[in-house]
């Protein structure tokens, strides 16, 4: 996973995977499959270890919407802190650099991106039922926006933006939330 994450699908060869795993090529094929299968397994591992916990935290957050979104975006920023994992988001990095990937792999990446988007949509819909957002809110557009911000934060962290700049980016992102009416409750 680390090799595919650092180098990307297109720039990772089977020789790189042989080197990373310490397996001989026949053993690698026998145990993990071809490059596409290895990539799919790496995606699943990434999603289980990093993506799913962030998605679950967002969907199940109990605080006010603005704080839940802030926590989710900060979670993207800090998910790998101290872990020694490569920079950026494995899914986002490979979504941008996927020219040699099969349609099946491109679809797997797309599905994971939609999973992140759907988590934001679920949390926004819950905010509506809890009176934190006006009925006129375009929930799909807002979910797309926040999913995009999560990807952008990861990419900008990889590009070298400072923690302060990234925190500022998060706060600007939160400023797009529709202001609720005085009788509907605070957003945090």
């Amino acid at each position: 996973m680390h090799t595919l994450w650092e180098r990307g699908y297109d720039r990772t060869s089977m020789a790189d995977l042989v080197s990373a795993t310490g397996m001989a090529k026949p053993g690698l094929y026998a145990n993990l499959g071809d490059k596409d299968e290895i990539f799919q397994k790496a995606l699943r591992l990434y999603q289980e270890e990093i993506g799913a916990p962030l998605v679950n935290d967002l969907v199940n957050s109990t605080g006010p919407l603005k704080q839940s979104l802030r926590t989710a975006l900060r979670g993207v920023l800090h998910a790998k802190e101290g872990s020694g994992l490569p920079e950026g988001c494995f899914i986002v990095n490979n979504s941008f650099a996927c020219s040699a990937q099969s349609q099946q792999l491109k679809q797997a990446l797309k599905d994971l991106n939609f999973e992140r988007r759907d988590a934001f949509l679920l949390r926004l819909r819950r905010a509506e039922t809890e009176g934190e957002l006006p009925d006129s809110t375009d929930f799909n557009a807002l979910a797309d926006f926040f999913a995009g911000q999560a990807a952008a934060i990861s990419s900008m962290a990889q590009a070298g933006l400072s923690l302060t700049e990234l925190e500022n980016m998060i706060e600007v992102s939160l400023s797009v939330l529709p202001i609720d009416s005085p009788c509907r409750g605070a957003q945090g």
Side-chain angles (χ1 to χ4, degrees):
M1 178 177 77
H2 289 208
T3 301
L4 287 162
W5 192 343
E6 284 175 358
R7 299 181 54 80
Y9 180 90
D10 288 351
R11 295 181 315 161
T12 302
S13 67
M14 284 305 286
D16 294 327
L17 295 172
V18 165
S19 176
T21 62
M23 295 176 147
K25 203 175 213 179
L28 185 64
Y29 279 110
N31 289 300
L32 298 174
D34 65 13
K35 184 176 168 183
D36 283 7
E37 290 173 294
I38 294 169
F39 185 76
Q40 286 185 29
K41 289 174 183 174
L43 275 177
R44 282 193 296 275
L45 180 62
Y46 176 86
Q47 186 61 11
E48 288 169 13
E49 292 185 358
I50 296 173
L54 292 173
V55 165
N56 290 334
D57 287 349
L58 173 61
V59 171
N60 298 310
S61 63
T62 58
L65 176 62
K66 189 179 258 188
Q67 186 56 47
S68 295
L69 294 172
R70 181 181 290 118
T71 299
L73 294 174
R74 284 181 177 161
V76 169
L77 183 57
H78 299 290
K80 300 179 309 292
E81 238 171 33
S83 67
L85 293 171
E87 289 296 322
C89 171
F90 182 47
I91 296 167
V92 172
N93 293 354
N94 280 285
S95 292
F96 293 132
C98 61
S99 62
Q101 293 172 8
S102 69
Q103 281 306 115
Q104 184 179 7
L105 293 184
K106 288 178 184 180
Q107 187 63 49
L109 287 163
K110 186 177 179 180
D111 291 345
L112 290 171
N113 280 313
F114 277 120
E115 188 175 320
R116 176 181 37 242
R117 181 230 186 242
D118 290 346
F120 281 103
L121 184 60
L122 284 170
R123 183 60 186 93
L124 292 164
R125 288 282 186 199
R126 196 172 87 229
E128 175 193 28
T129 63
E130 293 172 356
E132 292 184 273
L133 291 173
D135 296 337
S136 62
T137 302
D138 185 341
F139 295 98
N140 290 319
L142 209 49
D144 289 338
F145 173 79
F146 280 107
Q149 289 305 298
I153 287 165
S154 178
S155 296
M156 297 308 285
Q158 183 179 12
L161 257 65
S162 71
L163 186 58
T164 300
E165 291 168 316
L166 293 164
E167 288 285 348
N168 288 339
M169 191 174 162
I170 291 169
E171 292 306 312
V172 170
S173 298
L174 295 170
S175 71
V176 306
L177 288 171
I179 298 173
D180 49 337
S181 62
C183 64
R184 292 192 66 143
Q187 288 188 19

